[in-house]
Amino acid sequence: MGRRQEIALRLAVQKRPAPYICRTCLLNSPRFTSTAATASAPQTAPIEPPPSGRALSSNTPSTSLRTAYKIKASVLLSRPPILTRDLTPFEKAYFLYQKRLNERLAMPFSRYFYYQKGTPGDVEWKRKIKERQTPARDIGVYNAYAKEGWNDEVVVGARESEPEEQVEALLRDAEVEVPKEGEEGQEVKKEEVERPMPRVTEADRVGDTKSLDRRLQRTLYLVVRSGDGDDWWFPSDSLVGKESLHTAAERIIVHAGGVNMNTWVVGNIPLGHFIMNYGNPAIEEKDRPQEIRGEKFFFMKGRIMAGQANLQDNKLDLTDFQWLAKDEIQKTLTPRNWNAVKNILAER
């Protein structure tokens, strides 16, 4: 094919009419989509360089102050409950009913399997079973095999369901009669057994809020008071450098209560936080002046296993401390501070 023929063929192809394309295919074609997006895109003005032709330096002074907050860690150091809570009247009646029901359903007590006939133990058993009418020692006078055995529920006003009454019954049963020779002859004396510790301590009776041996059924929290005010609060201090909240909490415990406490900071995540805004923001002069709007407290959970707080030579300027339960903390803290922690503290 000659040169002239190639030119004629090319011109004929260019003049050929374009193939027909329906509207749907045209709208969905990639060429039409990219063209429409380009047409709808907003036209942005080019960024003009500064007059000097260089970017502005980051050291250019600014007329506005940077706002910031002081970051503080606050430790909720607590002593967990030591005793279970007191039973409700319904729970007392329910447990006594279960014990008496067990006496009705259990096999009869085999006396001669434990006590040989005619021995002192057999004589003591006969005396005790005559008084209480049942092998059980803490369910009162009750005979599960008598005609009235079905009547095993607690009567209103009865003392058999009270834990104190049950403890006394167990102690009376544990006492052993020991013969003792006196001036008038041989006497019988009951040898007393060791009694359990009371649930109410001496610190509860005298109201010693600095003692950990009080409110044994409740969780106690350490609250302190600084020398510059009368408000009570939890041990708190600002973070130092890149110190983490966990490390700051451990440092605060030592700086506030001394080293004579065996404590444990639970986890690295705070239980909650509290923002306290200043009435008049303060200007802090550091590398760059900044306006301090207030303080942000992050509460860290801690446990004390042994020891006691000692404010002597403390580094946080603390003057007094107390171990208080939640209901006592509500009466001690200011309303604003109480609202910040009331949902964090344990109910019991």
Side-chain angles (χ1 to χ4, degrees):
M1 182 181 296
R3 178 68 177 172
R4 294 181 177 179
Q5 294 178 346
E6 291 181 2
I7 296 174
L9 180 60
R10 188 177 302 172
L11 292 175
V13 171
Q14 292 179 356
K15 294 181 179 179
R16 182 182 300 176
Y20 174 75
I21 301 177
C22 66
R23 182 178 178 82
T24 303
C25 296
L26 179 63
L27 294 177
N28 295 331
S29 62
R31 180 181 298 177
F32 179 81
T33 305
S34 60
T35 304
T38 305
S40 62
Q43 299 296 328
T44 57
I47 301 176
E48 296 182 359
S52 60
R54 298 178 301 171
L56 292 175
S57 174
S58 59
N59 296 328
T60 303
S62 176
T63 57
S64 62
L65 293 177
R66 184 168 64 96
T67 61
Y69 284 83
K70 289 185 178 180
I71 305 300
K72 290 190 173 184
S74 186
V75 185
L76 302 181
L77 187 63
S78 62
R79 187 224 64 189
I82 298 176
L83 300 179
T84 57
R85 62 171 176 82
D86 292 332
L87 300 178
T88 63
F90 174 79
E91 291 171 337
K92 297 175 184 178
Y94 174 80
F95 290 136
L96 180 61
Y97 169 75
Q98 289 294 323
K99 292 179 182 179
R100 289 184 173 180
L101 181 62
N102 180 71
E103 289 297 312
R104 294 177 58 188
L105 301 178
M107 294 294 292
F109 181 75
S110 301
R111 187 181 77 188
Y112 293 114
F113 181 81
Y114 297 96
Y115 304 106
Q116 188 176 358
K117 188 175 182 179
T119 58
D122 183 53
V123 175
E124 183 71 12
W125 163 259
K126 290 180 180 179
R127 181 185 66 83
K128 292 180 179 179
I129 199 66
K130 186 177 181 181
E131 295 178 358
R132 60 175 183 251
Q133 300 179 14
T134 177
R137 299 169 292 176
D138 56 350
I139 63 174
V141 180
Y142 173 74
N143 189 351
Y145 302 101
K147 294 181 179 180
E148 297 293 329
W150 58 270
N151 190 14
D152 51 5
E153 296 185 5
V154 181
V155 182
V156 176
R159 294 279 303 172
E160 288 85 354
S161 62
E162 297 295 332
E164 296 81 6
E165 186 68 21
Q166 296 176 1
V167 170
E168 292 296 331
L170 294 174
L171 292 176
R172 287 194 302 268
D173 185 82
E175 293 176 350
V176 180
E177 294 184 353
V178 179
K180 181 180 180 181
E181 296 183 358
E183 298 179 357
E184 300 179 358
Q186 190 174 8
E187 298 179 357
V188 177
K189 182 180 179 181
K190 292 185 177 181
E191 184 177 354
E192 297 183 357
V193 297
E194 185 179 358
R195 304 180 67 86
M197 298 294 293
R199 296 172 67 90
V200 179
T201 63
E202 182 65 23
D204 289 321
R205 287 189 286 269
V206 301
D208 184 8
T209 58
K210 288 183 171 59
S211 174
L212 284 167
D213 298 329
R214 60 182 294 270
R215 304 294 294 272
L216 302 181
Q217 306 175 36
R218 300 291 301 274
T219 300
L220 299 183
Y221 293 91
L222 177 64
V223 294
V224 295
R225 182 163 58 182
S226 60
D228 56 354
D230 297 330
D231 293 342
W232 292 88
W233 189 233
F234 302 98
S236 308
D237 195 14
S238 300
L239 270 63
V240 178
K242 296 183 179 180
E243 189 177 38
S244 65
L245 290 174
H246 184 96
T247 306
E250 292 179 338
R251 173 180 59 82
I252 292 170
I253 292 176
V254 175
H255 287 181
V259 297
N260 295 326
M261 290 192 297
N262 184 7
T263 59
W264 171 43
V265 178
V266 184
N268 298 310
I269 301 176
L271 296 174
H273 78 287
F274 167 51
I275 301 177
M276 183 178 67
N277 294 314
Y278 293 158
N280 297 319
I283 305 300
E284 189 177 63
E285 297 289 344
K286 283 190 175 181
D287 299 336
R288 178 181 176 184
Q290 57 184 359
E291 182 183 23
I292 305 299
R293 293 287 184 87
E295 300 174 353
K296 290 185 178 181
F297 294 88
F298 291 87
F299 301 105
M300 301 295 293
K301 181 179 180 180
R303 290 290 198 189
I304 178 172
M305 278 74 75
Q308 177 59 286
N310 183 10
L311 301 186
Q312 186 178 3
D313 300 331
N314 74 87
K315 299 181 181 180
L316 301 181
D317 193 24
L318 304 178
T319 58
D320 200 1
F321 75 95
Q322 295 184 94
W323 292 97
L324 303 178
K326 183 176 181 178
D327 56 337
E328 297 171 330
I329 292 177
Q330 182 179 3
K331 303 175 184 177
T332 305
L333 299 184
T334 61
R336 181 185 62 176
N337 294 345
W338 166 248
N339 290 331
V341 300
K342 64 181 181 180
N343 295 326
I344 302 177
L345 306 181
E347 292 292 337
R348 202 182 73 81

